[in-house]
Amino acid sequence: MSTLTSTAVTIRPPAATGRARRLDDWRPEDPDFWRVTGAPIARRNLWVSIFAEHVGFSVWSLWSVTVLFLGPAYGIDPAGKFLLTAVPAALGAVLRLPYTLAVARFGGRRWTIISALLLLVPTVPMTVLLEPGVSYSTLMVLACLTGVGGGNFASSMANINLFYPQRLKGRALGLNAGGGNLGVPAVQLVGLAVLATAGAAYPRLVPAVYLPLIVLAALAAARWLDTVPGARNEPGALREAARDPHTWVMSVLYVGTFGSFIGFGFAFGQVLQLQFAERFPTPVDAAWLTFLGPLVGSLIRPLGGHLADRLGGARVTFWNFVAMAAGAGTVLYAARERSFGLYLAGFLALFVFSGIGNGSTYKMIPAIFRARAADAVTSGRRDPEAAARWARRMTGALIGIAGAVGASGGVLVNISFRQSFLGSGNADAAYLAFIGWYALCFAVTWAVYLRPRADRLANV
């Protein structure tokens, strides 16, 4: 989304105190600068960013575990609970684009502090108001506000992208994304700990755990983060990307991967309780399994990028969607046959393949524009330097748009479960919808990026 400009001035080693400041000079592509000055500063910023983003993801996911506490005393039916897990995904998706742009507008350090403190907006009132008798409209507002945590991912990725040279961006962004995604199982483990110790009567303890962590994230950002000079939002990049058909193809694919990951992460605990009520009579019975899916999905994400590097992003993405359709089919069959073991295996497979797909689709985006830039150079329409600048510009813009659209998949997953349970009392219709979507995704991947033809993009 942003580009970096810098001037060649004297290399300055980092201050011994590590005091956070605006950098006067940043040239990560210069090997000497990177070795002496850049690498230590970038690593420090990466680890602080991972922590702050992790806390943001946890706040975004609060209602995936909070709904397990909402027993009969709250008077909320399953359809109402699915809405409570859908609205955070919706706000998180909407905020991803402005949060990405905010890094260049306010500076990475300042915006990380602001975005961390914004996490107090939902968590403080949740700590005060979560008890029987609270109105459903109040719960909806509180659930929606946790969506601010979803925006933190986008701004964190945009900020860390500025610190690393091209050859190291993939690993740095993978660590940043994986650390953030781990916030989903982390908050569910916190919920499990509260359920196992204090019991289901104290849902307010879950957001209360995050109050000091939010403050710590803001303080860490103020103390140890830096702001890269010269970062700016490319004028017209979003408009140009929005007119490019590849933007919407990749957005559809990312709805299938990241949308599935975040949607299933929010809904898994509820679905377990509804599909197998006899096995999970209490929230704690479901909570000890709820975190497993998001955990494996988060940890497996780097494998998707690694496989894409070796085999090609489009090929990995194609077969990954085939596997996701098979996983959804397994879940559907197991639900109908009341086979809990097979059901759990199928759902864990969905989490695994959504994680792999997150990595492989992200790898496809820069490959698409590198291939198109190479074609433009070969045909004489652009010189190599201009083509490379265009590819970087479009890659950043597409990642921003696809990230926002992809997060909306979390809304679609929860709404699908809600409508399915409302209509038939089970989730069969939702699973059929997921199979259909994954079939659409692997068909689109083949048609656009794998089908043999003269204008097929190379190495995508």
Side-chain angles (χ1 to χ4, degrees):
M1 297 288 292
S2 304
T3 58
L4 179 64
T5 59
S6 59
T7 55
V9 297
T10 304
I11 296 175
R12 296 182 177 90
T17 61
R19 181 183 175 186
R21 63 216 179 279
R22 184 177 182 88
L23 301 169
D24 295 324
D25 176 32
W26 194 249
R27 289 173 284 114
E29 301 296 345
D30 181 328
D32 292 332
F33 177 89
W34 179 254
R35 177 176 51 82
V36 175
T37 302
I41 293 175
R43 281 195 298 268
R44 184 182 70 236
N45 279 268
L46 175 61
W47 294 121
V48 175
S49 176
I50 288 173
F51 173 64
E53 186 198 337
H54 177 91
V55 174
F57 241 95
S58 293
V59 170
W60 192 22
S61 309
L62 270 172
W63 284 85
S64 69
V65 68
T66 301
V67 291
L68 300 180
F69 289 82
L70 305 182
Y74 289 84
I76 305 172
D77 63 11
K81 292 181 181 180
F82 279 117
L83 277 182
L84 288 173
T85 51
V87 290
L91 183 61
V94 169
L95 290 179
R96 281 191 161 202
L97 275 180
Y99 268 56
T100 300
L101 299 172
V103 170
R105 175 67 180 83
F106 297 100
R109 173 177 174 267
R110 183 182 300 170
W111 183 250
T112 303
I113 297 169
I114 293 170
S115 61
L117 292 176
L118 284 173
L119 300 175
L120 295 172
V121 173
T123 50
V124 170
M126 281 179 69
T127 303
V128 175
L129 298 174
L130 278 180
E131 60 181 11
V134 62
S135 69
Y136 183 71
S137 59
T138 300
L139 294 178
M140 282 288 285
V141 171
L142 294 177
C144 184
L145 289 174
T146 59
V148 297
N152 286 23
F153 174 86
S155 58
S156 179
M157 295 289 277
N159 187 42
I160 290 303
N161 182 62
L162 298 173
F163 279 93
Y164 280 82
Q166 289 294 330
R167 70 183 189 281
L168 299 177
K169 284 183 188 291
R171 180 176 179 272
L173 293 175
L175 287 171
N176 200 53
N181 288 355
L182 284 170
V184 183
V187 74
Q188 292 165 351
L189 284 171
V190 170
L192 173 60
V194 171
L195 284 168
T197 55
Y202 298 96
R204 63 179 62 185
L205 292 180
V206 181
V209 168
Y210 281 91
L211 297 180
L213 295 177
I214 292 168
V215 174
L216 182 59
L219 292 175
R223 179 67 178 84
W224 287 299
L225 285 190
D226 302 282
T227 293
V228 172
R232 61 188 179 91
N233 294 314
E234 277 279 3
L238 283 176
R239 287 192 299 274
E240 184 178 356
R243 292 192 295 267
D244 193 303
H246 288 281
T247 296
W248 303 108
V249 171
M250 292 308 302
S251 294
V252 166
L253 301 185
Y254 204 54
V255 167
T257 56
F258 181 77
S260 293
F261 170 80
I262 199 67
F264 293 149
F266 285 8
F268 190 35
Q270 295 182 75
V271 174
L272 281 177
Q273 281 197 294
L274 292 170
Q275 293 269 208
F276 296 93
E278 70 283 357
R279 292 186 71 100
F280 303 103
T282 66
V284 71
D285 294 314
W288 75 272
L289 277 177
T290 300
F291 75 94
L292 281 179
L295 178 63
V296 296
S298 300
L299 294 177
I300 205 73
R301 178 171 180 152
L303 178 61
H306 177 69
L307 290 173
D309 285 338
R310 295 191 59 185
L311 305 174
R315 183 182 300 176
V316 172
T317 298
F318 172 83
W319 287 111
N320 190 74
F321 277 122
V322 172
M324 291 184 75
T330 300
V331 170
L332 173 61
Y333 174 81
R336 289 177 171 176
E337 296 298 317
R338 309 298 299 163
S339 172
F340 175 70
L342 187 60
Y343 182 88
L344 182 61
F347 232 120
L348 289 178
L350 283 174
F351 276 109
V352 166
F353 291 117
S354 67
I356 291 174
N358 282 341
S360 65
T361 50
Y362 248 62
K363 285 286 186 177
M364 287 176 66
I365 293 173
I368 289 168
F369 291 110
R370 280 198 302 267
R372 293 171 67 187
D375 288 345
V377 172
T378 302
S379 64
R381 288 179 286 117
R382 294 180 190 268
D383 65 76
E385 185 176 344
R389 284 199 306 270
W390 175 83
R392 288 194 297 269
R393 178 173 182 263
M394 292 295 286
T395 294
L398 196 159
I399 286 174
I401 294 173
V405 176
S408 69
V411 183
L412 298 177
V413 167
N414 283 272
I415 294 299
S416 296
F417 279 126
R418 178 182 185 272
Q419 294 307 119
S420 186
F421 279 108
L422 275 177
S424 60
N426 58 53
D428 290 4
Y431 301 138
L432 289 170
F434 302 149
I435 293 170
W437 188 266
Y438 302 145
L440 170 67
C441 287
F442 70 67
V444 167
T445 304
W446 181 83
V448 178
Y449 300 112
L450 294 176
R451 179 170 58 90
R453 63 186 193 278
D455 59 345
R456 174 182 163 183
L457 295 176
N459 302 317
V460 173

